[in-house]
Amino acid sequence: MKLLSPLIGQKAVVDGIRCQVIEILDTEPEPRLVVGEVAGHHVIQPDQHGEPHRRVERTFTLPLLNDDQSDIHPVIQTLAGDERVAELRRVLKG
């Protein structure tokens, strides 16, 4: 988590979408990053009862690792940059 926390606020363009890391979730078996679309499409956010509440920018929750658990998720690699990705890989290999 200590390696991921500096990513909060980090911005990047991924597949033509400007996004920013909003939050790091300490989940098991691996952390997840909440990434929000910056100045993008708005979606209607429901309240706790499922009723339409307000328009917000889209968010995505990404696992730290890719689908086959072999490397850092490609979007996170883009957001983190080469140095931090190399450091994360070293930590994951133990």
Side-chain angles (χ1 to χ4, degrees), residues 4-58:
L4 296 174
S5 60
L7 294 179
I8 295 175
Q10 186 69 33
K11 295 178 183 177
V13 176
V14 180
D15 294 334
I17 299 171
R18 290 182 42 213
C19 55
Q20 178 178 18
V21 178
I22 298 171
E23 187 175 354
I24 310 295
L25 303 176
D26 189 10
T27 57
E28 291 296 327
E30 63 185 280
R32 293 181 172 273
L33 276 72
V34 179
V35 177
E37 187 174 358
V38 178
H41 298 88
H42 286 80
V43 295
I44 296 175
Q45 181 184 50
D47 63 14
Q48 69 268 27
H49 305 291
E51 298 297 322
H53 185 61
R54 62 184 179 145
R55 290 188 170 275
V56 296
E57 292 172 342
R58 292 187 299 177

Side-chain angles (χ1 to χ4, degrees), residues 54-72:
R54 62 184 179 145
R55 290 188 170 275
V56 296
E57 292 172 342
R58 292 187 299 177
T59 59
F60 307 90
T61 304
L62 306 173
L64 179 60
L65 301 176
N66 61 12
D67 289 339
D68 62 3
Q69 307 287 307
S70 63
D71 199 8
I72 308 298

